[in-house]
């Protein structure tokens, strides 16, 4: 009987309020973390396309929205909602956190094409909606932390010039390489446009031969750049927006570490057949030797003239060995030699051979003489015999010549050259006196510091004192006595602002904040200049100049049709930029030679 | 302008402006003479400086012709302390035979500093009004000019600081 | 109690290969299609029935109406890209797919999932089970003409979907259990709102008890119908509530505890009669168990902590050679993922073991013989069939 | 699991035991011993529950792997029995008489992988793919993308850009 009556319980629901009601007027908003239509913060988005890569339904296209610039492709994701499955992996993987989802989910339209749009670009009612799905916390689908690079402790390194950086092991390199998302934003920023994502992929695949081939396609100074490159690429790295950028420079070095050196030349391949054309290059730094490498591979006969004892230019004579061991530089240079490049050292153009002779004997001449003259502040006392500039001192240290090593010295300058000379001298002091006594005074404050943060950190670890925002006023010398004219110290004022409100150099000093840094020697490391005196008066007069530098066109050609110029002397100091210059000049010369060949036949 | 008068405590506005014009004329001819002697790679620097001086000369002469300023030409004002440096510099440029870019710039900067001090002092010594404003204006002009030169100095001398990328002509 | 024993004495016998020689031209037999558009069918599936009068002589399960080739599709996706697909193998209870897939990946890649994420996963699986039972109860009663119960359970399910929405950001396909952990912590005040939902659910379940289980019609039409001999369970791969309704104590949550089930206090729900009614009854009580488990979980879950383990960069995630099988207890029975990896960034093979695969094919084809055509719907639903599991 | 393996290893010439978990192992067996092994496991060792039966295509090796996953309910242990068969003319003995439910698995394997099970009921009857004439679609050499491109139309007007190429084209088109 109960079984017959119980069902009538249902009747009680007859008198209840309905639980579903039609309410066409009020929105029913999605939950706070609802995964609705996408939003994109255009300012934050860098167009790396990782969202497109991860989308398993191929719902995302990258479309041009603005002009590309360093670290931003100018592309933005366009989403096809006919394909989107609302899984939000694109939001989770977003490198900048720009892509989010609103909690808006209601949108009806008869035209199916409107359901394909570019979030953040196309105006949508939910663009400003604050609720919706956002990646909770940090990116989790790819690691945000760089693999630590091992380096020798300050105690181990201060009394010698052995390399500091240990280099990655295979395991470490694999983990670091795994962090790369292969967006390729870095390639445009790298002056040499190295195939960065590809060689990082080669590490992941443990195909070091391929990695090395990729390196040498764009950079014959891979050993050098793997250690001392300015790594602008890392400032364009998508990973830097949420964590550390990929250690691109160390990964490059890792490839060169892993491939046995004997195999390099085989992997790179042989040069083309000889063309019979001749090119002379003045200066054997990265710009000159890259030009030489490229031209030699194209089959041209290349002779490089170097004034100093050994080839290499700034990397050898400007960069201390604890940063770049010279046998590593030699490995790069020997590969270039193996391509048939002849390097004539101890030959100064302008003295041993004139530019005119080079012009007469060659189809083209390349001037890549770098910046080897040190600039002086020329403040009072700068003429003292105890004052020297950094660049010649670094050269002497490289060549093993004797340099004065007082117990206490001051370096003026806040760039990497200042750090290089300070740290080199500190090592020599440690060996000679058993202690370090180096003070660095930089005009720039730490907010605007020029030297790399790593350099500053390591310098301090090595016992070097760094004073920022100090404007040098006078090198104080003994006015009388046995040491008359010898350096006593450096007098500085606080530089309370270095740039004006337009960002132009316009130092302002606080004269009341005066310090005298005691020293037996002052080293000026404020800047360098190119030694253009080798050109001779006539050529100097014939050439077009622009603001003190030889004027070159995009291809590095000067106003003289036979002369090209590349590297620091035209574009300022930067190794990888010099390499890029070298490629450009080589292309240009090759095109000129090809045109000549065509005209001859 | 006699030596005796140059050393007295008071001077006239006309004389001050004349001294300033002389200061600029001397510099202009100094730079112009230097142009052919200086290496071509840094010649632009001297050429620019000569052009700037010429601009200053024109500005001063335009000022002198201004009827309102002209009316004050005979007004007596206190001779500035900086005046001696100012007139000295007008006559004796301390620059070697074959100066380099840094020397030229340091010389030019020193001259700007003198001019700034001169005009600032003159402005301080005059009552608010046309003359005060005029000297103030001249001091500001020199200040702006000096700031330009400072920036150039940093760019040229501190090369390590500022890798120059503007050389590639596109 | 009465049981319908198969009696084929008056019909042609089955051949060894399973076929049956039926002479349709005799006029004695009619072949009809039951589905795919039939209220008695959950999802898109059809039964090809040969009937004599209103008695089924032979039945064939026909699937293929929504074959999307998931298993093959997954072989073209990277490991993370498979994650949004797996849930779609089962609409009413997608979360178990997410768990099984994630756990399989985690096992082969050697990833340890944070404790909090495991609690979260347990909670979600029970919420999913509850939802699935809500759908079943509505379907089972609907197959016997009791439409109103489906409306109630749909409403209650909708309330649970609200909880899903605020927790996971989606209502149907939650995509919340990522390989490595879960996507987020509980929202503020979640436990209180869940308690309210559970209370409402209990109120409605009380009504369902009366209107459905104490209903003479329901009892008449389900008791003794669709009897599965427990001896056949292993022959036909019968698992879950279907098996427990026949006295088996099989429940993966207890037999091979995964996630946090070994820290929860419960006993598998069992029945005795192994007929439609017993199966419905087991599920009804299992729904109550889910409610209890959700309450236990919300109490036992510790304060929000780490909910995602460190995993390799998903864009080039490669998993070394290996194979494994991860199972979980779904509302229909044993659910599992067999995953084979080959060292590349893509799975070599993913095989989904859905309980409907064994229940709705060979087993149903056997059970259906000699039943009344009006019982076919109820019988089929009593096996709690979700066709996408059959044709992944 | 180890004890079980030791009991059976020699009799059925089993390959190495892969202990994936304490409660899950995999062994490889030869075709000649498969049936006897399954019977032994089912009738003597308590592995009565056929959890699943499926295939893995090792295209590169020219082989199919058949996986029979058995479960012992009492001990809550799983044993995966692996058997390699040549892909070419793939065929295997039916086990529907051991587990009637295997009939369904074997129908699917026939349709999806092209593995024949002579004697298995209705093995060649359409299972999911009515009227399918192409390669068995779960074989690795069946290209689903190619198939879908040939079968379905792409939505018009879609175009994407690779960031790296796009930046090259815009910023340094000559590679300078």
């Amino acid at each position: 009987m109960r079984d017959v009556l119980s069902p009538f319980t249902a009747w009680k629901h007859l008198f209840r309020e309905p639980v579903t009601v039609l309410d066409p007027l009020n929105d029913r908003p999605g939950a706070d973390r609802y995964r609705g239509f996408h939003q994109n913060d255009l300012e934050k988005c860098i167009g790396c396309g990782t969202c497109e890569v991860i989308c398993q339904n191929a719902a995302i296209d990258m479309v041009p929205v603005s002009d590309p610039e360093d670290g931003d492709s100018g592309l933005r994701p366009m989403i096809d909602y006919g394909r989107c499955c609302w899984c939000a992996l694109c939001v989770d993987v977003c490198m900048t956190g720009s892509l989010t989802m609103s909690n808006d989910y209601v949108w009806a339209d008869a035209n199916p094409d409107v359901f394909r749009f570019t979030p953040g670009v196309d105006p949508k009612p939910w663009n400003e909606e604050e609720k919706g799905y956002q990646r909770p916390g940090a990116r989790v689908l790819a690691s945000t932390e760089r693999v630590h690079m091992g380096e020798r402790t300050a105690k181990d390194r201060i009394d010698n010039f052995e390399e500091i950086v240990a280099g990655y092991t295979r395991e470490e390199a694999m983990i670091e390489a795994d962090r790369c998302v292969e967006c390729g934003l870095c390639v445009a920023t790298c002056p040499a446009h190295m195939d960065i994502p590809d060689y990082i992929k080669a590490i992941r695949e443990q195909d070091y031969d391929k990695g090395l081939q990729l390196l040498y396609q764009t950079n014959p100074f891979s050993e050098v750049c793997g250690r001392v490159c300015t790594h602008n690429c890392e400032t364009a790295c998508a990973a830097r927006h949420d964590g550390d950028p990929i250690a691109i420079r160390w990964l490059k070095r890792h490839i060169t570490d892993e491939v046995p050196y004997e195999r390099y030349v085989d992997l790179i391949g042989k040069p083309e057949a000889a063309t019979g054309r001749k090119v002379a290059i003045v200066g054997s730094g990265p710009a000159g030797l890259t030009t030489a490498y490229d031209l030699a591979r194209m089959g041209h006969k290349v002779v490089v003239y170097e004034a100093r004892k050994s080839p290499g230019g700034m990397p050898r004579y400007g960069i201390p060995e604890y940063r770049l061991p010279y046998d590593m530089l030699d490995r790069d240079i020997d590969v270039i030699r193996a391509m048939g490049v002849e390097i004539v050292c101890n030959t100064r153009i302008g003295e041993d051979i004139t530019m005119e002779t080079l012009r007469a004997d060659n189809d083209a001449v390349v001037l890549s003489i770098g910046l080897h003259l040190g600039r002086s502040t020329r403040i009072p006392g700068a003429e003292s015999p105890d004052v020297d500039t950094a660049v010649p001192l670094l050269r002497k240290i490289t060549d093993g010549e004797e340099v004065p090593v007082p117990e206490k010295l001051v370096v003026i300058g806040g760039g990497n050259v200042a750090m290089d000379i300070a740290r080199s001298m500190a090592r020599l002091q440690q060996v000679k006196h058993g202690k370090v006594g180096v003070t660095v005074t930089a005009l720039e404050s730490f907010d605007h510091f020029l030297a790399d943060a790593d350099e500053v950190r390591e310098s301090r670890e090595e016992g070097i004192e760094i004073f920022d925002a100090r404007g040098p006023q006078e090198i104080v010398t003994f006015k009388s006595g046995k040491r008359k004219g010898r350096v006593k110290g450096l007098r500085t004022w606080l530089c309370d602002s270095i740039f004006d409100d337009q960002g132009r150099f316009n130092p302002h000093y606080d004269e009341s904040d005066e310090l005298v840094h005691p020293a037996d020697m002052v080293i000026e490391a404020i800047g360098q200049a190119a030694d253009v005196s080798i050109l001779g008066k006539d050529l100097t007069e014939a050439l077009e100049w622009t603001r003190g530098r030889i004027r070159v066109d995009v291809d590095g050609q000067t106003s003289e049709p036979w002369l090209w110029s590349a590297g620091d002397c035209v574009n300022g100091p930067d190794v990888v930029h010099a390499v890029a210059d070298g490629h450009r000049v080589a292309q240009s010369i090759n095109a000129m030679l090809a045109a000549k060949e065509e005209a001859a036949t | 302008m006699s030596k005796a008068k140059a050393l007295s405590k008071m001077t006239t506005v006309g004389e001050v402006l004349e001294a300033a014009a002389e200061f600029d004329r001397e510099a202009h001819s100094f730079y112009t003479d230097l142009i052919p002697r200086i290496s071509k790679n840094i010649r632009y620097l001297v050429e620019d400086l000569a052009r700037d001086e010429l601009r200053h000369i024109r500005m001063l002469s335009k000022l002198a012709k201004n009827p309102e300023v002209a009316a004050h030409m005979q007004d007596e004002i206190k001779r500035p302390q900086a005046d001696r440096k100012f007139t000295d510099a007008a006559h004796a440029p301390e620059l070697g035979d074959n100066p380099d870019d840094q020397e030229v710039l340091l010389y030019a900067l020193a001259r700007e500093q003198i001019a700034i001090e001169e005009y600032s002092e003159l402005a301080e010594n005059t009552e608010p009004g046309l003359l005060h404003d005029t000297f103030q204006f001249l001091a500001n002009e020199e200040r702006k000019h000096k700031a330009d030169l400072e920036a150039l100095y940093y760019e040229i001398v501190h090369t390590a600081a500022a890798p120059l990328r503007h050389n590639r002509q596109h | 109690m009465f049981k319908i024993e198969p009696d084929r004495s008056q019909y042609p016998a089955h051949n060894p290969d399973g076929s049956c020689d039926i002479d349709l031209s005799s006029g004695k037999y009619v072949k009809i299609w039951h589905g795919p558009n039939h209220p008695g069918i959950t999802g898109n599936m059809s039964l090809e029935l040969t009937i004599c009068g209103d008695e089924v002589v032979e039945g064939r399960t026909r699937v293929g109406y929504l074959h999307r080739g998931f298993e093959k599709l997954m072989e073209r996706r990277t490991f993370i890209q498979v994650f949004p697909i797996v849930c779609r193998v089962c609409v009413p209870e997608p979360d178990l797919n997410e768990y099984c897939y994630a756990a399989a990946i985690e096992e082969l890649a050697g990833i340890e999932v944070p404790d909090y994420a495991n609690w979260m996963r347990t909670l979600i699986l029970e919420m999913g089970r509850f939802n699935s039972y809500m759908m079943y109860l509505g379907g089972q009663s609907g197959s016997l003409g009791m439409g109103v119960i489906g409306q109630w359970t749909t409403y209650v399910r909708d309330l649970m979907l609200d909880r899903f929405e605020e927790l996971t950001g989606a209502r149907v396909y939650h995509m919340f259990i990522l390989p490595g952990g879960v996507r987020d912590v509980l929202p503020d005040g979640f436990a209180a709102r869940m308690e309210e939902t559970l209370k409402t659910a209990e109120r409605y379940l009380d009504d369902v008890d009366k209107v459905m289980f104490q209903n003479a019609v329901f009892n008449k039409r389900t008791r003794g119908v669709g009897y599965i001999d427990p001896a056949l369970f292993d022959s036909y791969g019968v698992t879950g509530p279907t098996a427990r309704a026949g006295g088996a104590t099989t429940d993966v949550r207890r037999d091979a505890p995964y996630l946090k089930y070994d820290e929860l206090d419960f006993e598998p729900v069992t029945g005795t009669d192994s007929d439609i009614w017993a199966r419905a009854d087991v599920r009804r009580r299992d729904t109550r168990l889910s409610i209890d488990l959700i309450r236990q979980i919300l109490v036992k879950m510790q304060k929000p902590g780490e909910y995602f383990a460190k995993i390799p960069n998903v864009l080039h995630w490669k998993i070394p050679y290996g194979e494994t099988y991860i199972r979980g207890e779904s509302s229909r029975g044993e659910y599992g993922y067999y995953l084979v990896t080959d060292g590349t960034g893509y799975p070599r093979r993913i095989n989904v073991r859905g309980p409907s695969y064994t229940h709705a094919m060979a087993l149903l084809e056997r059970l259906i013989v000699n039943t009344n055509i009006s019982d076919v719907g109820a019988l089929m639903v009593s096996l709690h069939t979700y066709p996408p599991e059959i044709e992944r | 699991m180890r004890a079980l393996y030791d009991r059976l290893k020699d009799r059925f010439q089993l390959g190495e035991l892969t202990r994936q978990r304490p409660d899950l192992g995999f062994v490889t067996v030869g075709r000649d011993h498969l049936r006897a092994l399954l019977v032994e496991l089912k009738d003597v060792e308590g592995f009565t529950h056929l959890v699943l039966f499926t295939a893995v295509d090792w295209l590169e090796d020219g082989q199919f792997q058949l996986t029979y996953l058995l479960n012992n309910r009492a001990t809550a242990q799983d044993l995966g029995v692996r058997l390699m068969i040549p892909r070419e003319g793939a065929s295997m003995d039916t086990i529907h008489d051991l587990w009637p439910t295997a009939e369904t698995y074997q129908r699917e394997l026939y349709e999806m992988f092209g593995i024949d099970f002579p004697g298995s009921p209705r093995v060649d009857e359409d299972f999911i793919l009515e009227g399918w004439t192409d390669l068995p679609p779960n074989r690795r050499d069946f290209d689903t993308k190619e198939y879908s491109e040939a079968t379905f139309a792409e939505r018009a007007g879609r175009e994407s850009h690779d960031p790296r190429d796009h930046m090259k084209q815009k910023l340094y088109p000559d590679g300078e």
Side-chain angles (χ1 to χ4, degrees), chain A residues 281-302:
Chain A
I281 294 176
V282 185
S284 65
L289 286 185
T290 301
T291 316
Y293 172 84
D294 282 3
L295 287 172
R297 290 189 58 75
M298 293 162 181
H300 308 304
K301 172 71 189 151
V302 185

Side-chain angles (χ1 to χ4, degrees), chain A residues 35 54-57 85-93 101 133 136 140-141, chain C residues 70-71 73-90 94-106 121 124 168-170 172-184 307-308 311 314 317 319 337 339 345-347 350 352:
Chain A
R35 298 194 299 270
I54 205 161
C55 181
Q56 60 95 11
N57 266 334
C85 78
W86 317 89
C87 70
L89 282 178
C90 52
V91 175
D92 285 347
V93 86
M101 286 165 121
Y133 181 76
V140 291
L141 298 185
Chain C
F70 283 131
E71 287 179 359
L73 209 59
M74 292 173 194
E75 292 173 20
R76 293 192 64 94
R77 300 287 190 280
T78 62
F79 290 108
I80 198 71
Q81 286 179 330
V82 171
F83 148 79
I85 299 181
V86 289
C87 52
R88 289 168 164 81
V89 175
C90 177
D95 311 281
L96 196 62
N97 289 278
E98 295 179 17
Y99 158 69
C100 288
Y101 174 69
I105 291 287
E106 285 150 6
R121 288 178 175 189
I124 287 175
T168 68
V172 177
Y173 294 133
H174 311 122
M175 299 181 277
F176 192 71
I177 302 175
L178 274 167
V182 293
R183 269 193 156 138
D184 211 336
Y307 54 87
F308 202 84
I311 59 171
V314 295
W317 193 359
I319 296 183
Y337 268 62
L339 174 68
Y346 300 87
I350 294 177
V352 186

Side-chain angles (χ1 to χ4, degrees), chain C residues 16-19 59-65 67 69 71-73 75-76 107-108 233-239 250 255-256 321-327 334 336-338 340-342 344 346-349 351-353 357-359 361-363 365-366 390-392, chain D residues 20-21 23-24 26 48-60 65 67 69-71 73 76-78 82 96 98-109 112-113 119-122 125-130 137-146:
Chain C
D17 70 351
S19 66
R60 291 282 179 254
T61 306
R62 297 293 181 208
V63 290
Y65 299 98
H67 177 67
E71 287 179 359
K72 178 78 181 180
L73 209 59
E75 292 173 20
R76 293 192 64 94
E107 184 179 312
L108 290 180
F233 285 170
D234 275 352
S235 305
Y236 284 91
V238 178
T239 57
T250 161
D255 300 344
Y321 168 81
E323 58 187 313
T324 191
Y325 175 72
I326 298 286
R327 62 156 63 83
E334 176 182 344
Y337 268 62
Y338 171 59
V340 183
T341 52
D342 57 9
T344 66
Y346 300 87
R348 165 66 56 161
R349 174 102 173 94
N351 182 229
V352 186
R353 189 231 189 260
Y357 189 87
T358 48
H359 294 171
M361 297 293 298
L363 177 67
E365 287 174 4
R366 180 189 168 111
I390 305 171
E391 41 182 299
R392 296 92 42 209
Chain D
Q20 180 61 29
R21 285 195 305 262
D23 61 348
L24 172 65
F26 289 93
T48 50
H49 172 36
L50 176 67
V51 179
L52 61 82
F53 173 28
T54 192
V56 183
D57 186 356
W58 297 100
L59 176 65
E60 301 82 347
Q65 169 188 334
T67 304
L69 189 68
L70 304 182
N71 174 251
R73 292 190 187 279
Q77 284 192 319
D78 289 289
R82 285 189 299 228
H96 76 276
L98 301 180
W99 287 278
T101 195
E103 168 194 323
T104 319
Y105 290 110
Q106 290 173 168
R107 273 175 71 194
E108 185 182 7
L109 287 171
M112 287 294 184
F113 286 90
S120 184
R122 304 153 60 201
E125 194 177 291
D126 282 342
F127 178 50
I128 292 166
L129 308 169
E130 201 175 316
N138 262 8
R139 288 191 175 212
R140 296 283 287 191
D141 43 0
F142 174 73
D143 189 335
T144 43
K145 187 148 188 286
E146 203 175 81

Side-chain angles (χ1 to χ4, degrees), chain A residues 30 72 102 138 171 174-175 192 217 259 265-266 298 306 341 367 370 421 423 511 522 551 578 594 597:
Chain A
D72 178 3
S102 70
E171 291 70 29
M174 288 275 278
I175 296 170
Q217 270 170 22
V259 180
V265 175
D266 284 346
M298 293 162 181
E306 170 58 50
V341 172
L367 192 68
I421 191 63
R423 300 177 68 189
E511 297 175 19
V522 171
R551 172 180 284 184
E597 205 67 45

Side-chain angles (χ1 to χ4, degrees), chain A residues 375-376 378 444 504-505 526-528 532 540-541 543 545-550 554 570-571 574 577, chain B residues 39-41 43-44 100-103 147-148 150 152 154 156-161 164-165 167 169-170:
Chain A
R375 290 276 191 180
S376 165
R378 297 193 186 170
E444 297 81 7
R504 284 187 323 177
F505 179 75
I526 58 163
Q528 296 116 261
V532 289
T540 304
E541 201 57 39
L543 282 169
W545 297 80
T546 175
R547 303 186 71 73
R549 296 169 188 230
I550 299 172
V554 275
V570 280
N571 284 317
D574 184 9
H577 203 268
Chain B
S39 180
K40 189 181 177 187
N41 56 328
R43 201 173 289 156
Y44 75 101
D100 67 9
D101 47 359
Q102 197 176 353
E103 277 175 275
D148 290 344
E150 291 265 20
L152 186 64
Y154 189 70
I156 287 176
V157 176
H158 296 246
T159 37
L164 301 189
R165 293 283 157 67
N167 194 16
Q169 311 283 312
H170 284 270

